[in-house]
Amino acid sequence: MNTPRIRVGIDVGGTFTDAVAVDATTLELLGQVKVPTSHHHEDGVAHGIVEALDRLLEQTGSAPADVAFLAHGTTQATNALLEGDVATVGLIGIGTGPAAVLTRRLASFGKLELTPGKRLPLAYAHVADPQDTADVRRAVEELKGAGSQVLVASQPFSVDRPEGEQAVLDAARPYGLPMTAAHEITSLYGLHKRTRTAVVNAAILPRMLATADLVDASITKAGVTAPLMVMRCDGGVMALDEMRRRPLLTVLSGPAAGVAGALMQERVSEGVFLETGGTSTDISVVRRGKVAVQHATILGKTSYLSALDVRTVGVGGGSMVRIGGGRVTGVGPRSAHIAGLPYACFASPDQLRDAKVDTVRPMEGDPADYAVIDAAGGRFAVTMTCAANALGRVPEGDFARCDPESARAAIAPLAALLGTDVATAATRILDAGIAQVKSVVDAMIRDYRLDKDTAILVGGGGGAASVTPHLADTSGMEGRIARHNEVISPIGVALALVREQVERIVPGATQEQILAVRAEAERAVVAQGAAAEGVEVEVTVDPQTNTVRAVATGATELRTQDRSHRADDTERLRAAAASLKTDPAAVHVLAGTTAHTVYGTETRRRLRATRRPIRIVDVDGVVRHHAADARVETTTVAGAPEVLARLVGESTSYGDGGVRAPALRLLLGARIADLSGVLDPQPLLALARSELRARAADEPVVAVLEVRS
């Protein structure tokens, strides 16, 4: 029997490297391995990556040639900044007159604090004329003499006129140092922020280049011919060459891998993803089928790095219970791992004989109110996982599942101290633990205006069962634990799409300029290996900041998934009705393509106009988009330009805030083309026409419009 082609995802953590193999056709998990992260090996983390790959191929019976896709996520860049293990940056400022004043101020980046007492190592040199090769080389010699290992060139307005920065790099090339220009890292205005982002990128560049070369050589030696991809901090992957240019994009990519897994495997379209480990929970948002990103704060300063908006709470599966005054006073932030204690629930009932409750300080300086159990088998920590198991919230087969009898025995001594029963004591522990998590989840739901009627909670990570089920139960939201939750991060790496984001400041952007930014993003992902015919591009035009942003995504191969388990008409109708919170008899099919069906109903409110909420459901029965009130119309590719012009004209609103075209989405073949980020009718229609090009004239097109107030 032929072995299937596989997609391999490898997540390099601080302690362990996890790897998974996913069937490239069905996207089902075929194998998973865990090896220690090889920080101290002569080949660094590359050794652990290859070891994990070798074991994975052996486990699945696959050959290197069977690998259709290989990607890895790494905490190396994040750890380098957290630990202050960075290269000395040589910054060359360019300019004369007022421009020189601005660039000389950039030398202050040497005051950026990496860790307490350790600042970013930076040397500064100035060049008046970037075309003066002799002066540039003098500056490079000066920086090399100061110990610089990598160079950055920065000039005011280089976004519009990059020739000066490029000339400096050309003149410095013979010195053999890694180099970058500020305009290559971001094309947004703001000399200070743009250069700071470039400098931080450069600080980790030499180390990341060395690792990239080792990993690339090791993978090639192992016989894998699929190009190596690297996880980005915004939930996508990039080619290794792109990582060599912008390693900063891997910072904060750990949490991004988990939410990418929730997005791709769990098909979440609206909700909150909670990745719970032993000590903490990372919380992020999926809104309308996309991860929520923002410009990240690095070294205490805002940057132009677009990264997952992730908020971390110090509560996880191993978080210890705190007590005082005969009650549970809190949970965490210390965990059993920090205290060096085993979880009480994983002890046998015999080991828990004669148990008595005591309190300890997990670390020097901590309050002495963390509960432990001293029993026949030794000392154990009372944790969130213990409480979840005692209440039966950990499903069969879960990574954190234990013997229910042991879990109840672990909680019983504490329950006696509190003067209550085991179930009540366990509930109080979970209530205290999720209180902090719930506060952050509620804030993120408000911040991103999630629809609580359709948003779900999805738990990932080995400690998912200690947080997500109880939070769902107490908040009234729908919640579930992701399949294979303990390896959701490497699954996210394996399933992630190639992604590229292009941002430009374009005052009064014309249709042609907007389409040019879109085309640039599309070309970038195709250049990194994405199949051109499957690329999707989302364009946003912000009239307040004059920012045109295009985010392109695509798979490295067109994936044809197994359709044997697709939902039938009845299942899709039920999914839509459940999301609409109405009887299936009141739900109607409004339109559809081969991949999506649009369902709708009507709601009438006293003294208010009738609303027509809709749900777009895919062939798997997953709600991919929802709208509280929408207009739906079907046409063909040939008729679409005229129909869309009429619909957009009828749905555009005018007021003191300016012109606001409707939020438009087009259902085309297997895609939902999201054009909702454009407010001006003419560029909107131009983008719509670009989506229609190269398609058959008689192909059906479904337009879904939401009027903006």
Side-chain angles (χ1 to χ4, degrees), residues 223-506:
V224 175
T225 57
L228 179 64
M229 311 295 285
V230 184
M231 194 74 197
R232 294 164 52 112
C233 53
D234 56 9
V237 291
M238 59 184 166
L240 193 63
D241 283 346
E242 189 60 32
M243 192 279 279
R244 288 187 172 104
R245 189 169 75 89
R246 293 185 291 170
L248 191 61
L249 287 173
T250 67
V251 171
L252 308 175
S253 63
V259 74
L263 190 64
M264 301 298 291
Q265 175 189 271
E266 298 298 310
R267 307 293 297 276
V268 180
S269 60
E270 190 95 351
V272 178
F273 178 65
L274 305 102
E275 185 164 15
T276 304
T279 303
S280 62
T281 296
D282 290 330
I283 306 168
S284 49
V285 161
V286 174
R287 185 175 185 271
R288 299 198 167 184
K290 300 178 180 66
V291 297
V293 298
Q294 63 177 7
H295 284 153
T297 297
I298 300 176
L299 304 183
K301 304 288 185 179
T302 57
S303 72
Y304 279 141
L305 174 69
S306 290
L308 181 76
D309 181 4
V310 58
R311 305 177 195 181
T312 302
V313 177
V315 172
S319 293
M320 296 174 65
V321 180
R322 300 171 68 177
I323 57 175
R327 62 187 183 89
V328 174
T329 59
V331 171
R334 299 302 185 203
S335 67
H337 314 80
I338 297 297
L341 296 173
Y343 293 24
C345 59
F346 292 122
S348 67
D350 191 57
Q351 289 176 308
L352 294 174
R353 280 188 299 104
D354 306 323
K356 295 182 180 178
V357 178
D358 197 0
T359 56
V360 299
R361 301 179 193 270
M363 296 186 70
E364 186 177 349
D366 288 343
D369 60 356
Y370 286 84
V372 296
I373 292 175
D374 289 321
R379 172 167 283 183
F380 303 93
V382 183
T383 67
M384 289 280 286
T385 297
C386 298
N389 273 289
L391 287 178
R393 295 207 180 277
V394 186
E396 194 75 46
D398 190 273
F399 180 77
R401 172 89 172 187
C402 73
D403 176 15
E405 183 183 350
S406 291
R408 289 189 288 271
I411 299 296
L414 183 59
L417 181 70
L418 300 176
T420 189
D421 56 42
V422 168
T424 302
T427 299
R428 290 177 184 174
I429 292 170
L430 294 184
D431 284 345
I434 69 160
Q436 304 168 58
V437 178
K438 185 176 186 302
S439 176
V440 173
V441 168
D442 288 345
M444 296 189 85
I445 288 174
R446 288 193 305 271
D447 290 349
Y448 287 98
R449 299 180 180 179
L450 297 187
D451 184 344
K452 290 196 74 170
D453 287 341
T454 57
I456 64 171
L457 302 173
V458 178
S466 65
V467 170
T468 300
H470 194 70
L471 177 60
D473 185 65
T474 56
S475 67
M477 294 180 66
E478 179 187 348
R480 67 172 185 262
I481 297 174
R483 288 175 295 141
H484 315 299
N485 55 291
E486 74 281 8
V487 287
I488 193 67
S489 286
I491 287 174
V493 176
L495 299 183
L497 299 173
V498 183
R499 180 179 171 111
E500 186 57 76
Q501 175 173 301
V502 175
E503 290 182 299
R504 296 283 183 270
I505 301 293
V506 188

Side-chain angles (χ1 to χ4, degrees), residues 63-80:
D66 295 325
V67 179
F69 175 90
L70 173 63
H72 77 89
T74 176
T75 60
Q76 188 174 23
T78 305
N79 292 342

Side-chain angles (χ1 to χ4, degrees), residues 451 453 602-613 628-629:
D451 184 344
D453 287 341
E602 289 188 355
T603 60
R604 291 183 173 86
R605 301 181 181 182
R606 285 187 302 174
L607 304 179
R608 294 188 183 182
T610 298
R611 297 171 69 87
R612 295 176 176 81
D629 191 19

